[in-house]
Amino acid sequence: MAKNPQDVSVELEQTTEEPTRKVRTPKFRNRNGKQVEADLVLNNGPQLSTGEKIKRFIKSQNGWMFMAPALILMILFSFYPIITAFINAFKNDLDMNGVYNGWGFDNFVHVFRGDTGMAGANFWQCLVNTLVFTLVSVPLSTLLALLISVALNSIKALQKAYQTILFLPYLTNSLAMGAVFATFFSVIRTGSGTNWGIINSLLGTQIDWMGLGNTWALGAINIPWAKYIVLIIYEVWTGLPFKILILFSALQSINKQYYDAAKVDGASRSTILWKITAPMISPQISYLLVTGIMGGMKQYTAVVGLFGANMGVAYDMGTMVGYIYRYVEGGTPKYGYAYAASLILFFIIMIITFINNKVTKRHTTYK
């Protein structure tokens, strides 16, 4: 029987309509084990009291609470002094009472010219002294520490004994150790003659290492080369223990397969040292160079221990930190010059560290 066209169109519309789906609301279980719909959990949940909100907020800040003591100490003893130095460095002629003569760059001008009105502690002399023994002693001690660490790594039986002996200078007071170290180079003159000291006796020389003379004059700057040698030897000796400890620990983490492959290829010991060992521990070497330069630029106690409170004869072995102390603790303290010098030292350290990072970054291998 033929269908009416209108009935056919009605049937087509019914077949094309999608059946209505029943959307199920996701449910969760509360603490009592009962199922609760999502909208009730998300929107209509129980409101927390103010005390509970405070407790939850405090719990979420546990990390900051653990960091608070360290942050407070850094703010008090690091950030605050740096900010204060930046501000006071531009207060002209700042004295111990906080009185100053306006703002400007007069403090820096006087420091660079050397006309600070106080005898001794010439800025350029102290800067040259600090740069010389820092840029010589730090790389030299790092190189020696690397060689000693490699040697210790191959001596299994006596490793702990040698580590203990080499680490002793790091545990000794630097002032006391400097005073004892100075006696090796001291020359004692008496009425009966001259005692040239232990080092001169060993070398067969008659050099006044700690006194006058043995100085090269470069314009207004003096280069007391004998005293430089004494200080560099002392700095290398005292800097070895910590560097040996760091490098020896780094050597333990190198995969021995590299050395086995090098031996199969017939590589020499020097090739293994400079082509395998040094690149593999280059991050530690870079770390020691950076920290060593920072420490060397701030050196003070070692020079006082060796050459006395006046840092040699009329501050001829003065350092940058000694220069700063001179204008803080002198007979007439001039804090403006001390602040200006400390700010200059800060930027010098930043520049040297930046250059060192750029140079060593190219050769650093991170595993």
Side-chain angles (χ1 to χ4, degrees):
M1 181 179 178
K3 294 184 178 181
N4 190 354
Q6 295 179 354
D7 297 336
V8 174
S9 62
V10 172
E11 290 178 359
L12 291 173
E13 290 177 0
Q14 291 177 350
T15 56
T16 56
E17 289 180 357
E18 294 182 357
T20 304
R21 297 180 180 178
K22 184 178 180 181
V23 180
R24 297 182 61 185
T25 304
K27 296 182 178 182
F28 302 92
R29 290 187 180 275
N30 60 13
R31 295 181 179 178
N32 298 326
K34 296 181 180 180
Q35 289 187 347
V36 183
E37 293 185 356
D39 59 349
L40 179 61
V41 174
L42 298 177
N43 301 322
N44 300 322
Q47 297 295 325
L48 298 176
S49 63
T50 304
E52 184 66 22
K53 290 181 180 179
I54 294 174
K55 289 181 180 179
R56 293 193 177 188
F57 175 78
I58 294 175
K59 288 182 179 179
S60 66
Q61 305 301 315
N62 283 342
W64 286 105
M65 294 177 68
F66 281 112
M67 293 175 60
L71 288 175
I72 293 173
L73 291 176
M74 289 183 64
I75 291 171
L76 291 178
F77 298 105
S78 295
F79 298 142
Y80 175 73
I82 291 174
I83 295 172
T84 303
F86 267 88
I87 296 173
N88 291 338
F90 297 95
K91 293 180 179 179
N92 296 333
D93 298 324
L94 178 66
D95 61 15
M96 60 184 301
N97 298 318
V99 180
Y100 59 95
N101 185 22
W103 298 80
F105 296 89
D106 287 355
N107 292 329
F108 296 93
V109 172
H110 287 298
V111 167
F112 285 129
R113 287 180 178 176
D115 56 350
T116 51
M118 188 175 290
N122 178 271
F123 170 78
W124 293 108
Q125 180 72 54
C126 294
L127 178 60
V128 170
N129 292 341
T130 305
L131 289 175
V132 167
F133 73 77
T134 298
L135 299 181
V136 174
S137 64
V138 172
L140 182 59
S141 62
T142 305
L143 176 61
L144 289 176
L146 175 61
L147 298 177
I148 295 174
S149 300
V150 172
L152 284 176
N153 195 36
S154 60
I155 305 174
K156 303 297 181 182
L158 301 176
Q159 280 182 359
K160 292 185 178 180
Y162 278 115
Q163 288 180 45
T164 303
I165 295 172
L166 292 171
F167 202 70
L168 286 176
Y170 191 73
L171 303 176
T172 309
N173 181 273
S174 58
L175 285 174
M177 190 165 53
V180 173
F181 192 86
T183 60
F184 298 155
F185 295 88
S186 298
V187 176
I188 301 175
R189 292 181 173 87
T190 61
S192 59
T194 301
N195 183 355
W196 290 99
I198 299 174
I199 299 300
N200 281 324
S201 298
L202 293 175
L203 299 178
T205 57
Q206 294 183 351
I207 301 175
D208 190 358
W209 299 97
M210 311 292 292
L212 295 170
N214 303 314
T215 300
W216 299 332
L218 298 176
I221 306 299
N222 295 321
I223 306 297
W225 59 267
K227 295 179 183 178
Y228 280 179
I229 292 175
V230 174
L231 183 58
I232 289 172
I233 293 174
Y234 175 82
E235 284 291 306
V236 170
W237 178 54
T238 56
L240 280 177
F242 178 73
K243 295 177 181 179
I244 290 174
L245 179 65
I246 297 296
L247 295 178
F248 183 79
S249 302
L251 290 174
Q252 305 302 307
S253 62
I254 298 178
N255 194 331
K256 305 303 179 184
Q257 293 180 355
Y258 293 110
Y259 296 123
D260 296 337
K263 291 178 181 178
V264 171
D265 292 338
S268 62
R269 291 185 177 181
S270 61
T271 302
I272 293 175
L273 175 62
W274 301 115
K275 298 297 183 180
I276 297 178
T277 303
M280 294 296 291
I281 62 173
S282 55
Q284 288 79 10
I285 295 175
S286 177
Y287 164 77
L288 292 176
L289 288 174
V290 172
T291 55
I293 290 173
M294 289 182 178
M297 293 298 296
K298 297 184 293 183
Q299 187 57 263
Y300 175 72
T301 55
V303 182
V304 172
L306 286 170
F307 303 103
N310 287 331
M311 294 187 168
V313 181
Y315 285 87
D316 64 339
M317 285 298 293
T319 64
M320 286 296 297
V321 175
Y323 178 90
I324 294 170
Y325 284 169
R326 173 66 173 167
Y327 292 98
V328 172
E329 300 176 348
T332 306
K334 297 184 177 181
Y335 292 138
Y337 301 150
Y339 281 120
S342 64
L343 196 59
I344 295 170
L345 177 61
F346 173 79
F347 283 112
I348 291 174
I349 294 175
M350 292 293 291
I351 292 171
I352 295 177
T353 305
F354 175 79
I355 295 173
N356 178 76
N357 287 336
K358 286 294 184 182
V359 172
T360 57
K361 187 176 181 180
R362 301 176 184 177
H363 306 285
T364 302
T365 303
Y366 294 94
K367 302 182 288 296

